Amino acid sequence: MKPFFFLFSCLFSMTIFAQNTVLPLWPNNIPNSIKTDEKEEVISADIVRIAKVQVPQIEVYLPAKKIATGQAVLIFPGGGYGILAYDWEGTDFAKFLNGKGIAGIVVKYRLPNSKSVTEKHKVPLQDAQRAIRTVRSKAEEWNIDPNNIGIIGFSAGGHLASTLGTHYKEEVYAQQDSIDQLSARPDFMTLAYPVITMGEPNTHGGSRKNLLGENPSQKLLDHFSNELQVTADTPPTFLLHASDDKGVPVENSLLFYTALVKHQVPAEMHIYPTGGHGFALGLQETHLATWTDQWVGWLNNLK
């Protein structure tokens, strides 16, 4: 019976650990949420795609304490505000960061095309603000420096990340507890082939439609064109993009970089001649595979 008991104990411990690493963002009522018959969808094929998120949460990957730097990065997967490329631009990066001693936290945020949400354009930012506040509240428990918490977003997740980085002071939900009294400002941010502008001709039409609807007002377009929202308080930013990106034009990164320089925000940008859209870790192309080295070097040298 002893081997069986040992195996049971191990499995039990693993279950507890797994449960402890996944946290719902909202302890009480989820803002801008209504009950419907809609169900979350998880499709596992070449990558894991999640659609119709009903319960937003964070999935936490912590490095071994022996190598932990105290730095943490919240990860916002892309997917045009229609799905989340959850492993490709999420958990794969969390695991990569752990190898560098950095905590990786994947944010499963609600999508504005869900029929379970009301004010659709506010929903991703609500979850993003709550996510970074939650991580900040757990800093001591997770061996994280509360002043060294950043974000990375990919494609539409890059738009959400840049929205958090420029709209972190915006009150988009009513406070629920003491967590909501903490700052939602990222200490740094990384934007990978991001959607930035909602304006023509460089926006990504699918992301804009899902977030803002068919015929958004000019006021709403400008509000979520994040190159227009940069200030001197915008966090230091690392950008990367490919010139031949047919999904999200490289001009998105160029517009944001120009705004950062104008406001004297520390910025680093890497533009690759080829790579297309959605290359993630870039392991499929030799010339792209080194971008993470550049990124980690930048992370290590942040003041």
Side-chain angles (χ1 to χ4, degrees):
M1 293 296 291
K2 288 184 178 180
F4 174 79
F5 178 77
F6 176 76
L7 178 60
F8 177 80
S9 298
C10 290
L11 291 173
F12 181 76
S13 298
M14 289 170 64
T15 301
I16 293 298
F17 177 78
Q19 289 176 341
N20 287 341
T21 59
V22 177
L23 295 177
L25 290 179
W26 304 99
N28 302 312
N29 296 325
I30 301 175
N32 269 351
S33 178
I34 55 175
K35 288 188 176 181
T36 70
D37 60 356
E38 187 175 66
K39 304 295 183 184
E40 183 172 301
E41 296 179 356
V42 180
I43 303 168
S44 297
D46 53 335
I47 65 173
V48 175
R49 294 173 174 86
I50 300 178
K52 302 176 182 177
V53 174
Q54 302 297 301
V55 179
Q57 63 187 33
I58 52 174
E59 186 168 349
V60 183
Y61 291 78
L62 299 178
K65 285 188 176 182
K66 191 173 182 179
I67 64 167
T69 65
Q71 201 167 44
V73 177
L74 282 78
I75 304 163
F76 298 96
Y81 282 126
I83 60 100
L84 301 178
Y86 197 72
D87 56 351
W88 183 248
E89 295 171 344
T91 54
D92 285 355
F93 275 84
K95 295 168 187 175
F96 168 82
L97 286 167
N98 278 184
K100 306 298 180 181
I102 301 169
I105 297 104
V106 186
V107 184
K108 189 169 79 170
Y109 57 92
R110 287 172 295 160
L111 298 161
N113 67 342
S114 166
K115 67 179 184 179
S116 298
V117 301
T118 51
E119 290 183 280
K120 297 179 181 295
H121 64 280
K122 289 185 178 181
V123 164
L125 181 57
Q126 289 173 331
D127 290 348
Q129 285 189 359
R130 178 71 184 188
I132 194 166
R133 287 173 171 142
T134 299
V135 173
R136 204 155 258 141
S137 75
K138 296 285 187 180
E140 184 175 358
E141 180 182 339
W142 293 344
N143 196 31
I144 290 170
D145 179 352
N147 299 310
N148 203 354
I149 299 172
I151 57 177
I152 183 172
F154 302 84
S155 192
H159 183 266
L160 178 53
S162 68
T163 303
L164 179 59
T166 54
H167 297 253
Y168 56 86
K169 290 183 180 178
E170 190 173 326
E171 295 183 9
V172 290
Y173 65 88
Q175 290 190 10
Q176 292 195 6
D177 53 28
S178 60
I179 290 174
D180 291 323
Q181 296 174 18
L182 298 174
S183 172
R185 182 185 182 274
D187 295 301
F188 54 89
M189 63 180 172
T190 299
L191 308 176
Y193 40 88
V195 178
I196 294 293
T197 188
M198 292 287 113
E200 297 292 351
N202 295 313
T203 191
H204 178 250
S207 295
R208 183 175 73 176
K209 179 181 176 181
N210 283 332
L211 183 65
L212 304 181
E214 288 279 3
N215 298 298
S217 67
Q218 189 60 49
K219 182 179 180 180
L220 205 56
L221 290 172
D222 290 346
H223 188 70
F224 284 98
S225 290
N226 292 326
E227 78 277 13
L228 304 178
Q229 309 304 327
V230 173
T231 70
D233 292 326
T234 300
T237 303
F238 182 102
L239 296 118
L240 70 145
H241 221 120
S243 295
D244 66 346
D245 190 330
K246 303 302 183 186
V248 178
V250 68
E251 282 79 6
N252 282 266
S253 285
L254 297 174
L255 286 166
F256 201 76
Y257 179 79
T258 300
L260 292 168
V261 172
K262 177 182 177 181
H263 289 88
Q264 299 182 351
V265 177
E268 181 171 327
M269 181 170 62
H270 295 263
I271 304 296
Y272 295 88
T274 59
H277 187 70
F279 51 79
L281 286 165
L283 301 179
Q284 65 276 26
E285 297 287 347
T286 303
H287 73 288
L288 295 174
T290 59
W291 85 257
T292 52
D293 295 331
Q294 304 294 328
W295 178 42
V296 171
W298 179 81
L299 291 173
N300 290 339
N301 286 292
L302 285 169
K303 302 296 183 183

